[in-house]
Amino acid sequence: MGCEEEILIIRSYDGQYADRVRVEDLERRCEVGPSERVFLFTDTMGDPICRIRNSPLYKMLVAEVDNQLVGVIQGSIKVVTVHQAQKDRAKVGYVLGLRVAPSFRRRGIGCNLVLRLEEWFVANDVEYTYMATEKDNEASVKLFIYKLGYTNFRVPAILVNPVKHYRSYHLPSNIQISRLKVGVAEYLYRKFMASTEFFPHDIDQVLRHKLSLGTWVAYYRDDTDDAEDANFETSGSKSEMTIPKSWAMLSVWNSGEVFKLRLGKAPLSCLIYTESSKVIDKIFPCLKLPSIPNFYEPFGFYFMYGVHREGARTGKLVRALCQYVHNVAATTRDCKAIVTEIGGEDSLREEIPHWKLLSCPEDLWCIKGLKKEARNSLHELTKTPSTTRPALFVDPREV
């Protein structure tokens, strides 16, 4: 299987200078994006494995033909929650960063790379392997679903909100926003989100990572009597914690410290709107027109993860948290966007500020069982009615 005329060699990425330079060159030549009309280029800033380096276990493979590096693929392994049960955990392998040089496509190189990565997953006792792609990426869908036996799993939405460096949001005076200690944030996530699909078993490692900027909680100051006594911080037992009836929380990951993005192509209307809206917004700020920064230059972004809410009237709490994150991002020079990914059916979609032209409403997740037991349980994972599907936890280490 693979190339018939050339000798295809697939090996592990060695991290040496020659490999690093060639992989970065390939990355710059391979666009990614939600459609043929809009795509992005990735700048890994000298570290080709930056997107997997922070995972518990990871690997990169490269493909060579006649000493030319013509393809790469990355994979990571972790333990997550599946089947809506906190106790029902599984070891999963994530496939990402599949790139094949334009002149070497349609020769089976991508297929061979995936199969070799799956062999590594099997050797490490992985039960499920999954990947994410744009729903409109016909080549990727054909490869994974029709050739490699993956199944449609979820269709999350990627929401992107531009950062306005010359404007801060005025936060509601009746909402209290506080930063949580890492131990308290871990406790709340395990208590309220541990049964969420793909919730990482090592959430403590995620929260304590240097790229995790913090976790914030919001609640109404004057909602109820217990809100006045709300205390998310404790020095002793978690039973001392007083949680109001209505509250929301989220965490922020600084993806811009890992890699940069650059818009390579977009509709002319997007370019015109980018330039004209900045002028209008500066002259007439009272109009509050949506504006975007220059995405045609390399930019960083913040990724919001673990967005969760409990109680009534929580939409305003989530929006206030997002506005707070925007104000923090506005102080970071190269942070031009705030990104989050949630389940396609999640009602949070209506509460999180985002600009539709930059967002992706249908990011396709596909899954495959590598063990017999996992293959037998795929029906439960993939055929759950949309109205009863649980929330989805997107690990910031895999963005």
Side-chain angles (χ1 to χ4, degrees):
M1 189 164 72
C3 302
E4 297 179 358
E5 298 180 357
E6 306 101 342
I7 298 177
L8 175 65
I9 297 174
I10 295 178
R11 60 172 176 81
S12 295
Y13 168 74
D14 62 20
Q16 298 302 309
Y17 178 77
D19 260 11
R20 192 164 65 247
V21 170
R22 293 193 297 169
V23 170
E24 287 191 300
D25 176 67
L26 178 61
E27 189 73 53
R28 283 191 291 267
R29 290 185 287 126
C30 295
E31 71 281 356
V32 295
S35 71
E36 294 181 355
R37 298 173 62 241
V38 179
F39 61 74
L40 298 164
F41 287 103
T42 304
D43 179 2
T44 60
M45 301 188 295
D47 183 12
I49 60 172
C50 60
R51 293 181 63 196
I52 55 175
R53 183 181 293 281
N54 299 305
S55 298
L57 188 62
Y58 57 86
K59 191 177 190 66
M60 174 186 273
L61 298 174
V62 300
E64 293 178 321
V65 173
D66 293 336
N67 292 321
Q68 296 184 67
L69 195 148
V70 298
V72 299
I73 194 170
Q74 301 178 50
S76 62
I77 298 174
K78 63 180 179 180
V79 177
V80 302
T81 299
V82 295
H83 300 151
Q84 297 181 250
Q86 180 177 349
K87 63 180 180 180
D88 199 355
R89 298 190 179 108
K91 184 179 282 190
V92 298
Y94 181 49
V95 180
L96 72 159
L98 175 60
R99 307 279 190 265
V100 176
S103 59
F104 283 85
R105 292 172 184 171
R106 297 181 178 85
R107 301 191 191 185
I109 295 174
C111 183
N112 276 280
L113 281 167
V114 177
L115 291 174
R116 286 289 297 273
L117 187 63
E118 288 182 356
E119 291 177 6
W120 178 68
F121 287 154
V122 171
N124 283 277
D125 205 32
V126 166
E127 297 167 68
Y128 301 97
T129 175
Y130 72 107
M131 54 78 66
T133 187
E134 298 80 22
K135 192 175 182 180
D136 295 334
N137 190 331
E138 184 177 342
S140 183
V141 170
K142 284 183 177 179
L143 172 62
F144 283 93
I145 294 180
Y146 298 110
K147 284 189 177 181
L148 296 169
Y150 284 68
T151 304
N152 292 355
F153 169 51
R154 295 287 179 264
V155 186
I158 300 175
L159 308 180
V160 181
N161 198 38
V163 174
K164 304 173 185 177
H165 288 272
Y166 46 87
R167 177 191 294 174
S168 295
Y169 286 103
H170 177 71
L171 303 178
S173 59
N174 67 328
I175 293 178
Q176 174 68 41
I177 296 178
S178 302
R179 182 171 180 170
L180 299 177
K181 293 179 180 178
V182 172
V184 176
E186 179 190 351
Y187 169 77
L188 291 174
Y189 276 127
R190 292 195 186 278
K191 179 176 176 62
F192 293 98
M193 295 196 74
S195 61
T196 300
E197 282 186 334
F198 280 62
F199 179 82
H201 181 57
D202 62 341
I203 184 64
D204 55 321
Q205 298 299 315
V206 178
L207 296 172
R208 296 180 190 280
H209 197 280
K210 63 180 181 180
L211 294 176
S212 196
L213 300 182
T215 302
W216 287 267
V217 64
Y219 58 92
Y220 292 104
R221 299 178 190 270
D222 56 356
D223 188 11
T224 59
D225 291 338
D226 65 341
E228 296 179 3
D229 299 325
N231 177 24
F232 286 92
E233 306 295 337
T234 96
S235 57
S237 171
K238 295 300 186 294
S239 61
E240 298 175 5
M241 190 180 298
T242 303
I243 301 177
K245 292 181 180 178
S246 297
W247 59 281
M249 69 184 294
L250 58 76
S251 299
V252 180
W253 185 271
N254 188 3
S255 297
E257 288 293 318
V258 181
F259 62 94
K260 308 291 184 186
L261 295 174
R262 175 176 62 84
L263 191 62
K265 181 180 179 182
L268 179 61
S269 59
C270 179
L271 177 59
I272 295 174
Y273 188 84
T274 300
E275 298 305 319
S276 62
S277 65
K278 287 190 292 186
V279 176
I280 295 174
D281 197 37
K282 288 182 178 179
I283 300 176
F284 304 107
C286 59
L287 296 178
K288 297 182 179 180
L289 296 175
S291 60
I292 61 174
N294 184 5
F295 288 125
Y296 295 92
E297 296 179 355
F299 65 91
F301 64 97
Y302 283 175
F303 185 79
M304 297 191 306
Y305 67 98
V307 184
H308 181 72
R309 58 181 176 174
E310 293 281 338
R313 296 194 299 143
T314 53
K316 292 182 178 179
L317 296 177
V318 172
R319 285 195 293 275
L321 282 171
C322 293
Q323 290 171 347
Y324 179 87
V325 174
H326 172 276
N327 292 349
V328 174
T331 65
T332 304
R333 183 177 179 181
D334 73 339
C335 182
K336 296 184 180 180
I338 299 169
V339 182
T340 191
E341 186 166 12
I342 59 174
E345 298 81 18
D346 198 323
S347 58
L348 279 170
R349 184 173 181 169
E350 304 302 321
E351 314 297 349
I352 297 175
H354 62 281
W355 199 35
K356 292 183 179 180
L357 184 59
L358 297 173
S359 301
C360 176
E362 296 182 322
D363 184 40
L364 184 64
W365 281 30
C366 301
I367 193 168
K368 177 180 179 179
L370 296 181
K371 291 186 176 182
K372 181 178 180 180
E373 299 81 1
R375 289 192 292 271
N376 292 338
S377 65
L378 273 181
H379 179 82
E380 181 181 349
L381 281 171
T382 60
K383 303 302 180 182
T384 308
S386 60
T387 54
T388 61
R389 286 177 182 170
L392 190 66
F393 195 103
V394 179
D395 194 324
R397 296 171 297 187
E398 296 177 348
V399 173

